[in-house]
Amino acid sequence: MMKPIPYGRQHIDQKDIDAVTQTLTADFLTQGPKVKEFETKFADYVGAKYAVAVSNATAGLHIAVLALDLKEGERVITTPITFAASANCVRYAQGEVWFADIDKNTYVLSVESVRELIESKPKGFFKGIIPVDFAGLPVNLEEFRKLADEHDLWIVEDACHAPGGYFTDGKGVIQKCGNGNFAEISVFSFHPVKHIACGEGGMLTTNSEELYNKLTLLRTHGITKENMSKNDGGWFYEMQQLGFNYRLTDFQSALGITQLAKNDQGLERRNQIANRYKEAFKDLIAYQSLPKGSFNAHHLFVIEVENRKRLYDFLRENKIFAQIHYIPIHTLPYYKKIGYFEADLSASEKYYSRCISLPMYPSLTDQEQEFVIEKVVSFIRD
Ligand SMILES: *Cc1c(COP(=O)(O)O)cnc(C)c1O
């Protein structure tokens, strides 16, 4: 009997456990040296100038749009095929969420669909774009940057699925997710189903010193000891604006550091697994396509099938817990009432009717994967 196979799973080893227990008996449980160390290592890893650790990616998205000065009634475009948090951050700032469609082959936000939506409105109508590196496939941010510059928009890259992913730009240069060359701010998640598990946690990266300063202030109540208007003594600080407590702890950061050190190894294994799926499904089942020069970090492996619900139930009967990513956000009751979906979203809706995410995580064994493949293929052939 095979044990249950989830669609994703964290990978914790003795090094992780040792790092956390050492931090638990050190001087700082939070606001200590591990946070800074994690930020520096993460910034280095993605090739960005600055990184800001936060309590989770949702909090990170919230202060990202605030640092970019999003205000009530201002409009932002995102994809319907993502986790709700990608859109919710706009609502936290009382902004409007507008949806554009996905590309039917890569499943990421289509730059053509976004362009069409922007050009159907007067200049200045939109403020920003939140593209998502869906399933681990990096969006081509060079194309989005060009469009954003033409229309004076900011970009927040939701890179929660893609630490270590990259695309190749028009000059043949590799551009890693979150490197700050095209997006103002990128956001990563350390929820256990993502690549780097901290329990809860997130990271923001940017190349702008100004945004970095805003983000660190917003993360800690808006309180600072720097650039103060006066100074009454060593204890003195100023609260310069309304911020939040969105900090990551030291023991979570310690875990993040050891997890990050293994990320490349995990990505290699994820891509081995993806290649094995592709080999088995070739000419039989559609899966997310990979643009030339791109490296998919493979948070997920998504296939498209006709009888999706039947396959989902059939796999469950065999203790394979495949998942659906995602129910299009514009069809969720909250957004159905208040979202804006003038754009043609038919590719997103068609995708949703067919998509299913198969098990994908570094510790998935070859034997388990063969079992999954056998079940999926036998279902399709039936
Ligand atoms: C997981 C996820 C988030 C939210 O991350 P948390 O750390 O759980 O807040 C946001 N966007 C996407 C695309 C995600 O997958």
Side-chain angles (χ1 to χ4, degrees):
M1 234 348 240
M2 197 71 72
K3 64 179 198 297
I5 306 175
Y7 82 90
R9 189 181 154 70
Q10 74 274 18
H11 180 55
I12 301 288
D13 66 16
Q14 195 57 44
K15 266 199 184 144
D16 298 315
I17 295 165
D18 292 346
V20 174
T21 43
Q22 272 166 28
T23 308
L24 285 175
T25 51
D27 290 338
F28 294 93
L29 289 186
T30 192
Q31 293 179 277
K34 287 291 172 190
V35 180
K36 191 79 221 152
E37 185 186 339
F38 187 28
E39 289 174 339
T40 305
K41 287 184 166 155
F42 197 89
D44 268 4
Y45 180 73
V46 299
K49 279 201 188 134
Y50 306 99
V52 179
V54 286
S55 47
N56 56 68
T58 304
L61 283 159
H62 181 193
I63 60 174
V65 300
L66 291 181
L68 290 162
D69 278 331
L70 184 67
K71 297 201 173 58
E72 184 173 351
E74 293 184 338
R75 304 174 189 91
V76 176
I77 300 171
T78 191
T79 167
I81 302 300
T82 182
F83 184 56
S86 311
N88 292 350
C89 59
V90 175
R91 297 297 302 148
Y92 298 156
Q94 274 94 48
E96 286 182 8
V97 181
W98 287 62
F99 298 101
D101 212 0
I102 59 166
D103 177 272
K104 68 180 183 355
N105 299 313
T106 60
Y107 314 153
V108 297
L109 186 62
S110 152
V111 73
E112 291 79 22
S113 176
V114 174
R115 178 181 290 283
E116 244 175 63
L117 180 60
I118 291 172
E119 291 179 353
S120 72
K121 297 292 173 190
K123 205 139 188 93
F125 193 81
F126 294 104
K127 284 289 168 197
I129 313 173
I130 306 180
V132 179
D133 300 318
F134 175 73
L137 183 69
V139 287
N140 188 320
L141 282 182
E142 187 181 35
E143 290 174 358
F144 274 100
R145 185 74 260 167
K146 195 164 159 285
L147 177 64
D149 286 346
E150 284 168 32
H151 296 273
D152 202 18
L153 307 175
W154 49 251
I155 298 173
V156 170
E157 175 192 21
D158 184 334
C160 287
H161 293 185
Y166 60 77
F167 71 96
T168 304
D169 72 12
K171 295 197 186 79
V173 179
I174 283 180
Q175 300 287 349
K176 272 186 127 178
C177 293
N179 71 6
N181 288 344
F182 302 103
E184 273 75 3
I185 300 173
S186 299
V187 185
F188 295 87
S189 169
F190 307 134
H191 183 280
V193 296
K194 312 291 165 69
H195 298 68
I196 295 165
C198 292
E200 297 282 353
M203 193 72 81
L204 299 161
T205 59
T206 182
N207 282 350
S208 154
E209 187 180 0
E210 189 194 337
L211 288 174
Y212 171 73
N213 290 332
K214 284 185 179 176
L215 292 169
T216 48
L217 201 59
L218 284 163
R219 172 183 60 181
T220 310
H221 309 279
I223 286 175
T224 182
K225 282 176 167 290
E226 274 159 48
N227 305 315
M228 296 194 290
S229 56
K230 61 170 191 162
N231 190 348
D232 289 350
W235 68 88
F236 200 68
Y237 59 76
E238 280 184 342
M239 183 182 143
Q240 296 178 339
Q241 66 177 97
L242 185 63
F244 307 87
N245 179 357
Y246 280 171
R247 290 187 300 256
L248 192 68
T249 66
D250 267 55
F251 52 95
Q252 287 170 312
S253 300
L255 182 54
I257 291 164
T258 48
Q259 288 271 302
L260 176 64
K262 291 190 286 239
N263 196 49
D264 280 343
Q265 215 179 313
L267 290 177
E268 200 181 309
R269 176 66 188 142
R270 286 171 186 274
N271 271 272
Q272 263 177 11
I273 293 169
N275 288 335
R276 178 71 195 94
Y277 277 138
K278 289 181 185 182
E279 207 179 280
F281 299 154
K282 205 166 69 181
D283 303 324
L284 192 66
I285 300 171
Y287 49 77
Q288 184 180 32
S289 69
L290 182 67
K292 198 163 170 282
S294 288
F295 180 71
N296 190 331
H298 275 302
H299 163 52
L300 304 171
F301 190 86
V302 182
I303 60 170
E304 288 181 74
V305 295
E306 292 297 329
N307 294 309
R308 190 266 311 278
K309 182 169 186 307
R310 266 182 50 217
L311 176 59
Y312 176 88
D313 292 339
F314 173 73
L315 292 176
R316 291 216 141 205
E317 283 160 25
N318 288 283
K319 294 204 165 60
I320 298 166
F321 295 90
Q323 214 15 299
I324 308 305
H325 297 95
Y326 292 93
I327 304 164
I329 306 185
H330 69 281
T331 68
L332 300 173
Y334 176 78
Y335 282 105
K336 225 166 153 168
K337 273 189 289 185
I338 59 144
Y340 293 83
F341 32 96
E342 284 179 19
D344 172 12
L345 302 175
S346 54
S348 300
E349 286 168 11
K350 182 166 184 222
Y351 164 84
Y352 169 63
S353 71
R354 295 162 51 87
C355 70
I356 182 163
S357 308
L358 299 180
M360 168 56 82
Y361 48 93
S363 58
L364 182 72
T365 66
D366 289 346
Q367 194 199 7
E368 286 168 331
Q369 190 184 11
E370 284 311 312
F371 181 68
V372 175
I373 288 171
E374 183 206 307
K375 291 297 165 200
V376 173
V377 170
S378 73
F379 175 87
I380 295 296
R381 289 233 158 95
D382 250 2

